[in-house]
Amino acid sequence: MSHNSPSIDRRSILRGSLTVAGAVIVLPALGSLAGCSSAPASLDPHKQMIASIVERIMPATDTPGAIDAGVPDYIANVFADFFTAEQQNEFVVGLDDLASSLSASGSDFASMSAEEQDRALTAVDQGDYGAAGRAQWQQLRDLTIFGFYTSEEATQELAFEEIPGRYDGCASLSEVGSAWLNRGV
Amino acid sequence: MALNEDFDVIVVGSGMSGGYAAKEFCEKGMKTLVLERGKMTEHSVDYVGENQNPWDMKHRDRVDPKLIDAEYPVQSTCYAFRESTRGFFINDKENPYSVEDGKTFAWLRGDQVGGKSLMWARQSYRWSDLDFGANKADGYGTDWPIRYADVAPWYDYVEKFIGISGSAEGLPQLPDSVFQPPMAMTCVEEDAKAKIEAAFPERNLIHGRAAHLTKPTNEQSSLGRGSCQYRNQCERGCSFGAYFSSVSATLPAAKNTGNMTLMSDMLVERILYDVETGKATGVRTINRKTKESKDFTAKVIFLCASTLGTVQIMLNSTSEHFANGFANSSGTLGQYLMDHHTRIGAQGNYPGFEDKYFAGRRPNGIYIPRFSNLGNETDAEFTRGYGYQGGSNRASWTRALGGKGFGEELKKELHQPADNWTFRLQGFGEMLPRAENRVTLHPTKMDNCGIPQIHVDVSLADNERKMRIAMKRDAVAMLEAAGCTDIQAFEEEPVPGHCIHEMGGARMGIDPETSVLNGFNQCHDVPNVFATDGSAFASEACQNPSLTFMALTARAVDYAAAKMKEGNLV
């Protein structure tokens, strides 16, 4: 066995490339090599887990949470409209990794109690950036925060004025009461 | 090629300069044809992104990255490019241009009636004799044929119409405009002003001067314009007409006279020249929708097609008489192209004022006018100078992106703004006029109307590099003086064009042998053709240029109209 043997992992196959001694080789027939169908990647198998995770990231309190704010639909829209087929595949593979990390205790994430879910997510959140599923967690976390605070429901959480009509550069924070809901982009 | 209605004037372009030329000519009773290459834009009606809250947009104002890659790889680098503003930016795929190998250039363009005046950043600063006298003082470029005294009354004139908010400061290097009340500073900015001005007596931290109404005049109100409502979504278009654009102000004023004919989707291919009279007779257009070619005639032609757009038309208007480009006996057409260099500065945390916040979204900031080489010194570490735009902020929820933490605790934390304010300064530096920074027409590449693509060859040189060292150093020093903590200097390699302050290419000058235009923006070679956008500029100062484009345009119209009445341009 040579030291230069191709390093193959599932993710690089799904990206359609192999790394051989530093050089990237583009694979011609992705589906057959990866042993999976050529059907487009789907979020459906992870729907429940995504819904559970986003609600733990931005939970309903005395104001709406991520589910109320339609964050799962927002993420599904980004997945469907903004991701290339390759990114969709990577995203789903990443979710597989994240699911494995989160169910290390043996139970399925969606069926855990909220406390168990928070413990599992904290372990990933605080864990090594290179750990399996960590990158996916970050992406999901950021999409959730963005999706939540750009939703109409977030106007119940943060101060919002569609037409302020005036500018005060030295307002009292206690009078404003909370952070302003800015537009995000 | 039927020649139809004969116009007094053809104005090419309907943006910052074209809108002003149209208004002035129409108000003087001239039958004016305005030709715009882009689509029609009606005030308010065509502001499709206006009033859209994030949740009204499927992707919350983000643009599909695949669409960016395919059609907007250049335009998407503009700070104002969003889903809600995308319709105001040109489609890169359909409008290619060429850049010299190994160099970069971002040609950021509008593609509609109103041009870039719809999504400009509205910062408006006068130039002074420091700027108009710079070329003569240090020998770079060619001397401007005009001085501040020539332009000052036209600044007054234009400012009264467009409306500039700001504060009178009495600074010789940055003359005061006719101001409407300034937009307030935050308490952090006021504190920084006091500390920075104490530490550096020759530096000033002032209110940003921006083309927003804060106390509309009767004339402005009668055009349907009102005060700024502090929404800060200006680049989507503003139905309040609170910021100046040609769509909200100059074009409606022109239309009210009954003298304007405005045609959209009309690309000017070339200027038509009559060698016997030595004058232009009109322009040849291509309808971008039908590809139909049509000629229009007029007594006078004003080129206001943007710096590069105007130079492209002139370079493409070759004839037996002008083999190397229109009115180019000097050979300088296309040369001495400039853009401000930026993407450099510093930011830091600002201690104190934890109980203070702001209310309303100010579409403006603070400004630190040029403070170096105020005598146009030639023995300094670099020549010319730079100013800073900046401001303070207290971050909201976006500070959580890319970080750690989640859940109720995070939601609670984000309920309040960040513990500390931040303060930021970004430098904008002057680039010297140099002949080798130039635009030509590509010998083989064409656009989809069969017009040769522009080929841009611009780069920074030694003086800009030296200036950038000082720009970063001084930003850090001012933040230190203000008491900032965690100061981070930032610097990215500037991409010419990215500042969207392109100037030069058809420079003004005293000598017809070394310049294209005279001191009234009139072609030395062809008396009835004027260029009054950024192409006319012989140097670029460090201030945002649009206000000066408009002042020089109004001045040139006044001159041209007087000559027309005398019969000297007909």
Side-chain angles (χ1 to χ4, degrees), chain B residues 507-558:
Chain B
R507 68 179 184 180
M508 272 192 192
I510 296 161
D511 184 355
E513 295 196 352
T514 58
S515 58
V516 179
L517 306 170
N518 69 16
F520 286 101
N521 297 73
Q522 181 181 29
C523 291
H524 287 299
D525 296 344
V526 187
N528 68 336
V529 176
F530 295 70
T532 72
D533 51 30
S535 63
F537 280 47
S539 69
E540 63 159 10
C542 66
Q543 299 93 311
N544 309 54
S546 292
L547 177 63
T548 305
F549 295 170
M550 289 187 272
L552 289 182
T553 298
R555 180 174 174 269
V557 171
D558 184 67

Side-chain angles (χ1 to χ4, degrees), chain B residues 386-432:
Chain B
Y386 45 88
Y388 295 91
Q389 292 178 33
S392 62
N393 188 28
R394 198 166 178 185
S396 184
W397 61 270
T398 53
R399 70 187 188 273
L401 297 173
K404 289 184 176 185
F406 66 95
E408 236 180 287
E409 202 180 328
L410 178 66
K411 196 177 174 187
K412 199 175 158 194
E413 184 190 327
L414 297 179
H415 189 69
Q416 292 299 316
D419 291 341
N420 56 274
W421 290 76
T422 54
F423 186 67
R424 174 185 163 92
L425 293 175
Q426 181 178 350
F428 290 78
E430 178 168 0
M431 188 173 172
L432 291 175

Side-chain angles (χ1 to χ4, degrees), chain A residues 56-57 59 61 63-64 81 125 138 141-142 147 150 157 161-162 164-165 168-171 173 178-180 182-183, chain B residues 58-60 64 66 82 186-187 229-232 355 357-359 361 396-397 400 402-405 407 411 415:
Chain A
R56 294 321 302 152
I57 294 172
T61 51
T63 61
D81 298 345
D125 186 52
Q138 191 73 47
R141 176 191 175 278
D142 289 349
T150 54
E157 171 64 20
E161 290 178 339
E162 188 161 0
D168 180 352
C170 218
L173 174 57
S178 74
W180 290 109
N182 67 22
R183 286 194 295 262
Chain B
K58 187 179 181 188
H59 289 289
R60 317 288 168 89
D64 181 352
K66 301 195 299 296
R82 307 262 187 280
T186 66
C187 22
Q229 299 298 307
Y230 299 98
R231 299 183 297 172
N232 194 18
D355 60 338
Y357 203 22
F358 50 82
R361 296 183 289 275
S396 184
W397 61 270
K404 289 184 176 185
K411 196 177 174 187
H415 189 69

